Amino acid sequence: MPVGNDASFARFLTIQYAGRELLDAGFAEQKPDHIDVPPSQLELLDRDLASLGHKPIRIPGNASFTSPAAALGAAWVVSGSSMGNRAMLAQRRKHGLDHANAFLADSRMPTYFRTLLPVLAGEFDRFEQDQMIDGATLAFTVFLDVLARSELKEAA
Protein backbone atom coordinates (compact mmCIF):
# COMPACT_ATOMS: atom_id res chain seq x y z
CA MET A 1 0.00 0.00 0.00
CA PRO A 2 1.26 3.48 -0.75
CA VAL A 3 2.40 5.43 2.29
CA GLY A 4 3.24 8.67 0.49
CA ASN A 5 0.04 10.35 1.65
CA ASP A 6 -1.91 10.28 4.89
CA ALA A 7 -5.09 8.75 3.45
CA SER A 8 -3.28 5.72 2.06
CA PHE A 9 -1.16 5.45 5.17
CA ALA A 10 -4.24 5.50 7.42
CA ARG A 11 -5.67 2.62 5.39
CA PHE A 12 -2.42 0.69 5.82
CA LEU A 13 -2.45 1.32 9.58
CA THR A 14 -6.10 0.26 9.81
CA ILE A 15 -5.30 -3.08 8.16
CA GLN A 16 -2.24 -3.51 10.38
CA TYR A 17 -4.24 -2.80 13.54
CA ALA A 18 -7.02 -5.26 12.76
CA GLY A 19 -4.62 -8.01 11.69
CA ARG A 20 -2.29 -7.57 14.61
CA GLU A 21 -5.17 -7.51 17.07
CA LEU A 22 -6.20 -10.95 15.81
CA LEU A 23 -2.61 -12.23 15.90
CA ASP A 24 -1.96 -10.79 19.37
CA ALA A 25 -5.04 -12.67 20.61
CA GLY A 26 -3.66 -15.85 19.07
CA PHE A 27 -0.27 -15.31 20.74
CA ALA A 28 -2.05 -14.80 24.07
CA GLU A 29 -3.50 -18.31 23.71
CA GLN A 30 -0.47 -20.03 22.17
CA LYS A 31 3.04 -18.76 22.75
CA PRO A 32 5.85 -19.52 20.27
CA ASP A 33 8.51 -22.13 20.97
CA HIS A 34 11.79 -20.98 22.57
CA ILE A 35 10.97 -17.23 22.62
CA ASP A 36 8.46 -14.83 24.09
CA VAL A 37 5.57 -13.45 22.05
CA PRO A 38 6.26 -10.57 19.69
CA PRO A 39 5.73 -7.15 21.28
CA SER A 40 2.25 -5.79 20.75
CA GLN A 41 2.20 -2.64 18.67
CA LEU A 42 -1.52 -1.98 18.99
CA GLU A 43 -1.03 1.10 21.16
CA LEU A 44 1.32 2.62 18.56
CA LEU A 45 -1.05 1.83 15.71
CA ASP A 46 -3.96 3.32 17.66
CA ARG A 47 -1.95 6.48 18.41
CA ASP A 48 -0.91 6.89 14.76
CA LEU A 49 -4.46 6.36 13.54
CA ALA A 50 -5.82 8.88 16.05
CA SER A 51 -3.28 11.48 14.95
CA LEU A 52 -4.52 10.98 11.38
CA GLY A 53 -8.15 11.34 12.51
CA HIS A 54 -9.04 7.65 12.09
CA LYS A 55 -10.17 4.87 14.36
CA PRO A 56 -9.10 1.24 14.13
CA ILE A 57 -11.48 -1.35 12.80
CA ARG A 58 -12.02 -4.47 14.81
CA ILE A 59 -12.76 -7.85 13.36
CA PRO A 60 -14.11 -10.43 15.79
CA GLY A 61 -12.11 -13.54 16.51
CA ASN A 62 -8.45 -14.37 16.80
CA ALA A 63 -5.76 -16.23 14.99
CA SER A 64 -5.66 -19.75 16.36
CA PHE A 65 -2.24 -21.38 16.30
CA THR A 66 -2.30 -25.16 16.48
CA SER A 67 1.03 -25.44 18.30
CA PRO A 68 3.98 -23.47 19.67
CA ALA A 69 5.77 -24.17 16.38
CA ALA A 70 2.88 -22.62 14.43
CA ALA A 71 3.02 -19.57 16.70
CA LEU A 72 6.75 -19.38 15.99
CA GLY A 73 6.09 -19.25 12.25
CA ALA A 74 3.56 -16.47 12.76
CA ALA A 75 6.02 -14.58 14.97
CA TRP A 76 8.50 -14.70 12.07
CA VAL A 77 5.95 -13.07 9.75
CA VAL A 78 4.95 -10.35 12.19
CA SER A 79 8.46 -9.46 13.25
CA GLY A 80 9.97 -9.82 9.78
CA SER A 81 7.56 -7.20 8.48
CA SER A 82 9.41 -4.66 10.60
CA MET A 83 12.13 -4.60 7.93
CA GLY A 84 9.57 -3.29 5.46
CA ASN A 85 8.37 -0.79 8.03
CA ARG A 86 11.82 0.82 8.01
CA ALA A 87 11.62 1.26 4.25
CA MET A 88 8.13 2.76 4.55
CA LEU A 89 9.34 5.14 7.26
CA ALA A 90 12.11 6.34 4.96
CA GLN A 91 9.58 6.79 2.15
CA ARG A 92 7.24 8.83 4.37
CA ARG A 93 10.11 11.03 5.53
CA LYS A 94 11.20 11.51 1.91
CA HIS A 95 7.69 12.88 1.27
CA GLY A 96 7.98 15.22 4.28
CA LEU A 97 5.56 13.13 6.36
CA ASP A 98 7.22 13.12 9.78
CA HIS A 99 4.05 12.52 11.79
CA ALA A 100 2.04 9.43 12.74
CA ASN A 101 5.14 7.26 12.44
CA ALA A 102 5.31 5.67 15.91
CA PHE A 103 4.43 2.23 14.52
CA LEU A 104 6.97 2.37 11.70
CA ALA A 105 9.72 3.76 13.94
CA ASP A 106 9.22 1.28 16.80
CA SER A 107 12.55 -0.40 17.54
CA ARG A 108 11.07 -3.26 19.59
CA MET A 109 10.00 -5.38 16.62
CA PRO A 110 13.34 -5.29 14.74
CA THR A 111 15.04 -6.17 18.04
CA TYR A 112 12.63 -9.09 18.49
CA PHE A 113 13.27 -10.21 14.90
CA ARG A 114 17.04 -10.28 15.49
CA THR A 115 16.43 -12.38 18.62
CA LEU A 116 14.13 -14.70 16.68
CA LEU A 117 16.55 -15.50 13.85
CA PRO A 118 18.88 -17.72 15.93
CA VAL A 119 15.82 -19.55 17.30
CA LEU A 120 14.65 -20.26 13.76
CA ALA A 121 18.11 -21.56 12.90
CA GLY A 122 17.73 -24.24 15.59
CA GLU A 123 16.92 -27.90 15.08
CA PHE A 124 13.29 -28.68 14.27
CA ASP A 125 11.89 -31.97 13.05
CA ARG A 126 9.84 -32.15 9.86
CA PHE A 127 6.52 -31.98 11.72
CA GLU A 128 7.58 -28.82 13.57
CA GLN A 129 8.83 -27.28 10.33
CA ASP A 130 5.48 -27.96 8.69
CA GLN A 131 3.69 -26.38 11.63
CA MET A 132 5.96 -23.32 11.43
CA ILE A 133 5.06 -22.96 7.76
CA ASP A 134 1.37 -23.35 8.61
CA GLY A 135 1.67 -20.61 11.25
CA ALA A 136 3.43 -18.28 8.84
CA THR A 137 0.78 -18.95 6.21
CA LEU A 138 -1.96 -18.26 8.77
CA ALA A 139 -0.39 -14.90 9.66
CA PHE A 140 -0.29 -13.85 6.00
CA THR A 141 -3.86 -15.08 5.57
CA VAL A 142 -5.03 -12.99 8.54
CA PHE A 143 -3.80 -9.81 6.85
CA LEU A 144 -5.30 -10.79 3.49
CA ASP A 145 -8.63 -11.57 5.18
CA VAL A 146 -8.61 -8.23 7.01
CA LEU A 147 -7.87 -6.43 3.75
CA ALA A 148 -10.74 -8.23 1.97
CA ARG A 149 -13.17 -7.56 4.82
CA SER A 150 -12.26 -3.88 4.98
CA GLU A 151 -12.75 -3.54 1.21
CA LEU A 152 -16.17 -5.18 1.52
CA LYS A 153 -17.12 -2.74 4.30
CA GLU A 154 -16.05 0.20 2.13
CA ALA A 155 -18.07 -1.11 -0.81
CA ALA A 156 -21.22 -1.58 1.30
Side-chain angles (χ1 to χ4, degrees):
M1 293 185 159
V3 293
N5 65 65
D6 285 344
S8 295
F9 188 55
R11 179 148 168 69
F12 167 77
L13 294 174
T14 299
I15 301 305
Q16 286 294 312
Y17 186 97
R20 286 170 185 264
E21 187 174 47
L22 294 169
L23 291 165
D24 282 3
F27 289 126
E29 290 182 4
Q30 181 63 72
K31 297 184 180 351
D33 261 342
H34 313 294
I35 193 168
D36 200 7
V37 299
S40 178
Q41 295 180 301
L42 293 177
E43 74 282 353
L44 301 175
L45 288 158
D46 190 37
R47 184 181 344 151
D48 286 346
L49 282 166
S51 72
L52 294 170
H54 292 264
K55 293 183 179 184
I57 62 168
R58 291 194 162 80
I59 295 178
N62 68 320
S64 184
F65 308 119
T66 58
S67 68
L72 186 62
W76 170 75
V77 169
V78 171
S79 63
S81 70
S82 66
M83 302 303 113
N85 289 354
R86 295 298 179 188
M88 286 187 272
L89 179 61
Q91 182 183 7
R92 282 187 56 78
R93 288 181 173 158
K94 181 178 169 183
H95 286 92
L97 300 171
D98 286 328
H99 59 282
N101 291 326
F103 168 67
L104 295 180
D106 185 21
S107 64
R108 295 174 303 156
M109 199 61 83
T111 299
Y112 179 88
F113 183 67
R114 285 189 300 275
T115 304
L116 177 65
L117 289 176
V119 173
L120 292 173
E123 293 293 321
F124 295 94
D125 65 31
R126 186 62 156 162
F127 181 71
E128 290 170 312
Q129 291 172 13
D130 287 345
Q131 289 183 330
M132 290 164 64
I133 292 168
D134 289 347
T137 302
L138 175 63
F140 285 120
T141 302
V142 164
F143 287 107
L144 290 172
D145 185 53
V146 166
L147 178 61
R149 287 178 186 225
S150 68
E151 287 177 350
L152 288 173
K153 280 186 177 186
E154 286 178 15

